[in-house]
Structures are given as structure tokens and as C-alpha cells.
Amino acid sequence: MPSRLNRLLWRLRPGRFVPTACGTVPLEELARPVESLAKLATTKAEVAFAELMPARSVRLERAFVVGQPAVDHFPREPSPVPSVRLYRFQGETRIFGKGLFLRADNRVVLLPRFEFNELGRLDYPANAFSLERQEGEAWIARPPERLHRVEEPCLYVAQGGEGIWGHWLVDIFPRLVMGLGIPAPFKVVIDADTPAWCLHFLAMAGIDRSRVIRHDKFRTTLVVRDLYVPSFLRYGNAFSPLANLAWGLAPVSPAPPSLRLYLSRSRAGRDASLLTAPEIEAVARRRGYRIVHP
């Protein structure tokens, strides 16, 4: 159950909500595999996916750190990397909250945590405003009454951390690039409160702002009949090799930059920075970097 504070904040949220009894269904029960993106584009299955790279394990190498950190968080055993998949939902899908997909049969799709570690979680504070656990495993969904219907295919890349540049770099942008193989014009769905600088990431992938849908997850329920959802290319600190395809799209300047910046989190609190941050910043200064504390 949402906390008392969450319930109070939910009542103060803008927009009108209509209580709708619904159940849940794991994505694994709905999705059917197809051989390729071309097959995915022509399939008649209500929910299908094309696997671009199977799950694997990678061994993480420790980054070079000056000094002796007190804690070593890198696992000594290989770390799992999820399979990279592009899912397609056909038929009416209602989207609200933080990546909550409600099917026409009034069931919320449960996304596998391993493939979607920052999307669709029922324990997100944002989703606690929309869902409450009732008897047994049933859920009561309260999507906003105001509907925004989109007839064109949509690629859904909204997730947790949209306001953080690093999440765009390691999560959202690679997911976006995985959807570029869709053989049809499509809209890109991001959260309404995503900062304006996200448009630069979208432009690098060839997406201009006319193709962007900013979804206000608390005011509007998005209704899409043809929805593509890319899985994640990262789980924890382990990345799929396919992430290199996304980062390869970044423009490379032929001239060296006139200003070198080192973005430091040393003032963000004890648990949000490197233990050896002062030593690393000293090395950066000696090499001509300006230390910036966002």
C-alpha cells in the first residue's frame, strides 16, 4: 500500500481519476518471439518481440582509482546482462504513471525487472499515486480520465531518471537507438517534465521535436494502438555490447575542445561520490580540466 503521505499527495495531484478494477499479467505470458525487426513490423500478434542480442555475462574490470577505496563494489564473478529486445504492443494500450501499460482487458503488464530495471515498477513513488494493492494480488488502477489518443506508431523511451544527463547517456539514448530499426514513421514518447536538453539527444538520433510526444503521466492517459518498447541495455554496472552502436552516433569534432570540464559529484554527499574524489580532481586539474560541481 502507498504510504499515508503518498495517498495524501495522490489526492492533490492534478487531473481527474476514475477508479478501475484491474489485474496484472507478466509480460512473459503475453509476448511472442519473432525472428527479426522486419517480422516484428508485420506480425499480427497482440504482443511480440524481436531479440537483438541474447542475454550474456560480462566480467567487470575495476576502474583505475588513485588511493585505496574503503569498499570495492565490483563483483568478482561475471555480471549478467539482459537480452536486448524490442517489444511491440498492438491493440489499445493505455499508458499512465511511470511506464504502466494497461491492456484492453484491464490488466497492467508487469515488466520483467531484469530487462526493465528502471521502468514499469509498481513500487515507484510516481506509480503509488495510480495504484493501490487491494485484496489478493489485484490492483486498482486510477489512470487520468483525460485521454490523448495517438494513431501513429509510438516508441516509448520514458523511464526513471529522465532529468539526469547520465541516465540519457547510459539508458535512454541506447534504448532510443535500438528503436531506429522500426520500418515506419513513429513518434517518441518521453515524460512531460524531461528537460529541454533531451532534444539534443533526440536530434543525434534523427528525431526532430515534431515527432516528440511529452506525456504528462499525472494529467493524461496516453492511448496508443501500435506501441514499441525497447528493453534496457544495462543492468547495474554491466552493459550490452550493443550500447556501442548508440554511442557511436555522437558527433565527433575534428578540432580539440577549447575547454576541458570535469563534472564532479564530490559535493553531492558522502554516498553519492567517489571516496577518492579529491585525489582524482587534483589529477584532472594538473591535466588542464576545470572542476565543475553541478
Side-chain angles (χ1 to χ4, degrees):
M1 290 283 288
S3 67
R4 181 179 300 176
L5 176 60
N6 274 349
R7 291 197 298 271
L8 174 62
L9 292 176
W10 175 79
R11 293 190 183 96
L12 298 177
R13 281 287 173 186
R16 296 178 59 193
F17 289 78
V18 179
T20 305
C22 68
T24 60
V25 57
L27 179 60
E28 298 94 324
E29 291 185 11
L30 297 176
R32 300 291 179 261
V34 297
E35 299 173 359
S36 64
L37 289 178
K39 294 284 188 181
L40 187 65
T42 58
T43 182
K44 301 300 182 182
E46 287 191 0
V47 183
F49 69 88
E51 187 171 84
L52 306 181
M53 181 169 282
R56 58 176 58 196
S57 295
V58 299
R59 187 176 296 278
L60 299 177
E61 298 292 338
R62 284 193 57 190
F64 176 77
V65 178
V66 180
Q68 295 298 321
V71 180
D72 181 5
H73 293 288
F74 285 91
R76 302 189 181 279
E77 298 300 321
S79 296
V81 176
S83 60
V84 179
R85 296 176 173 181
L86 184 61
Y87 288 87
R88 185 184 184 191
F89 295 77
Q90 296 187 86
E92 185 173 289
T93 301
R94 300 193 173 207
I95 306 171
F96 61 103
K98 181 69 72 172
L100 297 174
F101 304 145
L102 183 65
R103 300 295 290 161
D105 58 3
N106 272 346
R107 291 192 294 176
V108 174
V109 179
L110 299 179
L111 303 179
R113 183 71 175 270
F114 184 53
E115 292 180 36
F116 296 96
N117 54 309
E118 289 287 343
L119 182 65
R121 286 166 40 188
L122 300 182
D123 58 346
Y124 265 137
N127 291 344
F129 298 127
S130 304
L131 296 173
E132 281 192 14
R133 185 183 294 273
Q134 298 292 322
E135 297 179 2
E137 291 299 315
W139 291 78
I140 300 298
R142 295 179 173 86
E145 186 179 34
R146 185 185 305 163
L147 303 181
H148 178 191
R149 295 185 180 273
V150 182
E151 298 301 326
E152 304 99 316
C154 287
L155 179 70
Y156 188 89
V157 295
Q159 63 173 73
E162 296 96 341
I164 301 174
W165 186 84
H167 275 290
W168 272 87
L169 183 67
V170 302
D171 291 328
I172 302 176
F173 188 61
R175 293 180 62 227
L176 170 67
V177 172
M178 290 303 104
L180 295 182
I182 299 172
F186 59 88
K187 301 283 189 178
V188 174
V189 180
I190 59 176
D191 268 6
D193 52 4
T194 305
W197 48 253
C198 74
L199 297 175
H200 296 292
F201 277 96
L202 294 169
M204 283 195 296
I207 307 295
D208 62 50
R209 62 182 64 201
S210 67
R211 296 171 59 188
V212 177
I213 295 176
R214 286 183 172 271
H215 177 216
D216 189 330
K217 55 186 174 294
F218 292 117
R219 293 180 180 272
T220 306
T221 294
L222 192 63
V223 184
V224 182
R225 299 195 59 81
D226 194 359
L227 175 68
Y228 289 86
V229 184
S231 66
F232 278 59
L233 289 83
R234 175 184 70 89
Y235 188 80
N237 293 316
F239 288 84
S240 167
L242 281 183
N244 290 318
L245 296 178
W247 296 327
L249 287 181
V252 178
S253 173
S258 58
L259 182 63
R260 293 180 172 185
L261 301 178
Y262 179 83
L263 302 182
S264 172
R265 299 180 66 178
S266 60
R267 298 179 185 174
R270 180 180 178 87
D271 297 329
S273 182
L274 296 170
L275 296 175
T276 54
E279 298 168 83
I280 296 174
E281 290 181 15
V283 172
R285 285 193 183 93
R286 289 198 297 270
R287 300 205 174 190
Y289 285 82
R290 175 185 171 189
I291 311 301
V292 178
H293 301 88

